[in-house]
Amino acid sequence: MAAIQIIGTDFAAAAALEGLLARRRVRLQGPEGGPVSVLACSARHEAQAGGTVGVTQLARAAGARGVVVVEEGAATLAVSSELGGRLLRVTLPRPTGTLPHRDAALLALADLLASQVSAMVAADAATGALIDLAARVARTDVTVFINGPTGSGKEVLARKVHEASRRAAGPFIAINCAAIPENMLEAMLFGHEKGAFTGASGANKGIIRAAEGGTLLLDEVSEMPMGLQSKLLRVLQERRVTPLGSQTEVPVDVRIIATSNRHMPEEVRARRFREDLWYRLNVFPLTTKPLCERPDDIPALAVALLRRHCPAELALPLLAPEALETLLAHDWPGNVRELENVIQRALVLHEGGRIVPDDIVIDAVPQLPVRPLHLAAV
């Protein structure tokens, strides 16, 4: 697993930053702990080490592919790159006096570091425990079923299982079982031979075989038609696929992860989902919680979404503490997807590099100031 090394010399925010990365389960490496992926230090330490040349030599000795140099006490948060993006310079504003997981600037720096090692966004203890459990599940090829409300991060968690597994170098292929017409789903999943049906001008190996050596995510598997459920059950039992129009079974080596936002025992009782398939898929269950039940994740996710959607040519705006309180006060029935919409609205409405409570528009039409119209005299 990729690791980050933070040099704490003359770096006041180092301990708080390490705490935020630990909440995301990022592996932190000491100076004698082996190779790292990213090296982070303060601008003062860079100067003591001999400037850019000195700090890049330190990174090379540690095996790091990237360096992040932080200048503390700045007026605004800014990020610039050097050496083709291998060295990032970050100006970090003074602490706001709040807890680290409520400090927007510190959260942005933590997200910048964590994103370089593909860490899942997290700050709440419940999410951290779920990441730990997913990492343990990833050690084996056991089939995983992830249940949780819409927009709560089921696919993100599935990718985390894949990235932590021995199959990480293989493909990760996701298919939304609810988004594909029933008459196309079978051919897409299992593949087909040339001429198997009208329009099949060539053979197609299908999504299951395309995931060979990797992981196949069956998103919203509860929407799969009953007829296909029996065929999927055979794939799980025999680890073989029979393409449409073929009489030959083809062995496959894939890990299956399935997700649903429904209460599956009820789906089984209502005969909308096969009981035998349910037990085959539900070998190891994982459950994502709604956002309102993990409030410490809200600021971290908000900052991560700001970084994702902020145009590259614009400076990243910071969430004012009052704006964070507004986000924390909402119950988020739409979970992370709703939060993402709110953050994109705030990016449109904000001015002056800060997002304030008036920029947080939740389930409402933004009220823009009305300016008088001056007409030229006729």
Side-chain angles (χ1 to χ4, degrees):
M1 181 186 295
I4 294 175
Q5 181 182 342
I6 299 176
I7 299 176
T9 306
D10 293 320
F11 195 174
L17 187 58
E18 289 177 353
L20 290 177
L21 292 173
R23 286 171 178 258
R24 296 177 70 148
R25 298 310 191 258
V26 173
R27 190 162 65 91
L28 299 172
Q29 196 71 278
E32 305 299 332
V36 299
S37 294
V38 182
L39 180 73
C41 69
S42 68
R44 290 182 180 180
H45 183 77
E46 179 195 26
Q48 294 173 1
T52 301
V53 174
V55 79
T56 52
Q57 287 176 345
L58 287 175
R60 191 177 299 113
R65 65 173 185 268
V67 182
V68 177
V69 177
V70 182
E71 181 181 347
E72 298 181 274
T76 59
L77 178 73
V79 180
S80 60
S81 65
E82 299 177 11
L83 304 178
R86 295 192 299 276
L87 189 151
L88 298 178
R89 294 191 180 278
V90 181
T91 59
L92 184 69
R94 295 175 180 84
T96 59
T98 60
L99 295 171
H101 61 283
R102 296 286 194 272
D103 188 314
L106 197 58
L107 284 168
L109 176 57
D111 188 64
L112 184 148
L113 287 169
S115 62
Q116 296 189 53
V117 294
S118 301
M120 185 173 168
V121 179
D124 198 274
T127 307
L130 184 61
I131 295 173
D132 290 339
L133 186 56
R136 295 176 66 181
V137 173
R139 298 172 190 168
T140 68
D141 272 348
V142 64
T143 302
V144 178
F145 194 94
I146 304 175
N147 192 249
T150 298
S152 59
K154 297 188 292 296
E155 183 171 343
V156 174
L157 185 62
R159 288 183 180 275
K160 188 68 180 177
V161 172
H162 170 73
E163 290 169 0
S165 73
R166 67 174 182 85
R167 297 177 177 270
F172 177 91
I173 297 181
I175 180 171
N176 189 330
C177 299
I180 300 174
E182 181 177 348
N183 60 344
M184 295 176 58
L185 187 57
E186 182 175 4
M188 289 186 67
L189 274 177
F190 304 110
H192 60 79
E193 297 296 329
K194 180 179 179 180
F197 52 85
T198 302
S201 56
N204 188 304
K205 65 181 181 180
I207 290 174
I208 294 179
R209 281 193 287 166
E212 179 72 20
T215 302
L216 174 64
L217 172 63
L218 299 173
D219 196 19
E220 302 304 343
V221 72
S222 53
E223 305 296 327
M224 181 176 286
M226 290 291 288
L228 284 185
Q229 291 180 26
S230 60
K231 296 184 178 182
L232 177 60
L233 177 63
R234 178 167 178 79
V235 173
L236 292 172
Q237 289 174 333
E238 307 296 334
R239 298 292 171 178
R240 292 176 175 273
V241 170
T242 304
L244 288 176
S246 173
Q247 303 299 318
T248 304
E249 289 187 326
V250 181
V252 291
D253 174 27
V254 297
R255 181 193 198 137
I256 302 291
I257 301 178
T259 75
S260 178
N261 60 5
R262 297 193 180 188
H263 186 251
M264 293 305 295
E266 178 58 35
E267 295 298 302
V268 171
R269 284 193 294 270
R271 299 185 181 278
R272 291 188 291 266
F273 201 83
R274 290 180 62 107
E275 184 176 23
D276 46 6
L277 177 58
W278 163 237
Y279 286 121
R280 280 284 179 181
L281 291 173
N282 195 41
V283 178
F284 201 100
L286 295 174
T287 303
T288 57
K289 290 186 175 184
L291 192 54
C292 62
E293 294 183 12
R294 42 191 176 103
D296 283 346
D297 281 349
I298 294 173
L301 284 165
V303 170
L305 290 168
L306 274 175
R307 289 193 64 243
R308 177 189 299 177
H309 292 291
C310 184
E313 65 274 11
L314 296 181
L316 181 72
L318 285 179
L319 282 157
E322 300 80 9
L324 279 177
E325 291 302 321
T326 301
L327 295 177
L328 288 164
H330 187 53
D331 58 359
W332 302 108
N335 296 299
V336 181
R337 289 177 186 166
E338 182 186 4
L339 176 62
E340 186 170 20
N341 291 342
V342 171
I343 291 300
Q344 290 188 76
R345 292 174 197 148
L347 276 170
V348 173
L349 296 174
H350 88 282
E351 292 181 351
R354 277 171 62 88
I355 294 176
V356 298
D358 286 346
D359 301 324
I360 305 298
V361 181
I362 302 175
D363 295 331
V365 177
Q367 299 298 315
L368 299 179
V370 178
R371 296 180 175 87
L373 180 64
H374 300 284
L375 298 177
V378 178

